[in-house]
Amino acid sequence: MNVRLEPVLREQEPVLQNLMQFYIHDFSEFWAGTSKGDLQADGRFEAYPLASYWTDPNRAAWFIWRGDILAGFALVNDHAHSGQAVDHSVAEFFVLRKHRGSGVAADAAHQVFAARSGLWEVAVARKNTAALRFWRRAVATTPGATEIREIDLATPEWDGPIILFRLGG
């Protein structure tokens, strides 16, 4: 399996916005009973705010490729849900359903982590139990990951577990 990350170029934002529609659709099941994830009149979800991913050096956007097939995306920033000073946070991470369970997501996650050293945070929405299982395994099997710990927050700002770990110096 040939999994690779490719930086998303500014002119590729429409492709990333298209993928974001699938991501938001998948995530919308966790927003039942709220106004989050409602469709607009044109049958699409609201566009995701991406502009800062091409202007802020603490942000990165990658496409995830499986061979020559686009399989997903990863967004990284330095926003900490934990309230702790972190170097990097997985903002959004998506692999198309047909590629899940095949190792694509774990391989891509390891590549994302390897791209930047420092203190990492992965915050997982409480209702997304499958993602929590995935991220626990992905972090635990990340080469060089140290100081792995998990905290649980239930605040108005964040509700769910947060995995913190360090890579490199």
Side-chain angles (χ1 to χ4, degrees):
M1 170 177 46
N2 178 21
V3 176
R4 72 182 193 285
L5 299 180
E6 183 178 288
V8 179
L9 304 176
R10 178 76 167 124
E11 56 269 20
Q12 295 173 307
E13 181 179 356
V15 177
L16 184 53
Q17 287 289 2
N18 288 342
L19 287 173
M20 195 61 74
Q21 292 292 301
F22 297 112
Y23 174 75
I24 295 169
H25 173 266
D26 279 4
F27 218 84
S28 69
E29 74 176 291
F30 306 119
W31 296 325
T34 75
S35 61
K36 287 180 81 171
D38 285 343
L39 290 173
Q40 299 177 107
D42 65 357
R44 295 178 56 83
F45 296 104
E46 186 175 343
Y48 189 91
L50 291 169
S52 61
Y53 283 90
W54 294 281
T55 59
D56 183 341
N58 294 320
R59 293 178 180 244
W62 291 286
F63 286 129
I64 299 168
W65 291 86
R66 182 179 193 173
D68 60 351
I69 304 295
L70 183 57
F73 66 85
L75 301 180
V76 170
N77 62 29
D78 61 352
H79 173 76
H81 290 84
S82 64
Q84 300 181 28
V86 300
D87 299 301
H88 316 290
S89 176
V90 175
E92 314 294 351
F93 187 89
F94 175 73
V95 171
L96 225 58
R97 289 179 182 264
K98 78 176 281 181
H99 300 289
R100 294 179 192 172
S102 67
V104 169
D107 195 351
H110 292 157
Q111 290 181 48
V112 166
F113 296 147
R116 297 181 173 199
S117 62
L119 182 61
W120 277 88
E121 175 182 286
V122 180
V124 183
R126 184 166 314 283
K127 292 180 180 180
N128 199 347
T129 56
L132 180 58
R133 285 189 304 275
F134 166 77
W135 285 113
R136 282 176 173 157
R137 280 190 313 271
V139 169
T141 58
T142 295
T146 61
E147 302 175 34
I148 300 170
R149 60 194 171 95
E150 188 174 316
I151 60 175
D152 191 275
L153 286 184
T155 69
E157 294 79 31
W158 186 254
D159 185 25
I162 299 170
I163 303 167
L164 295 140
F165 67 98
R166 186 169 298 284
L167 269 179

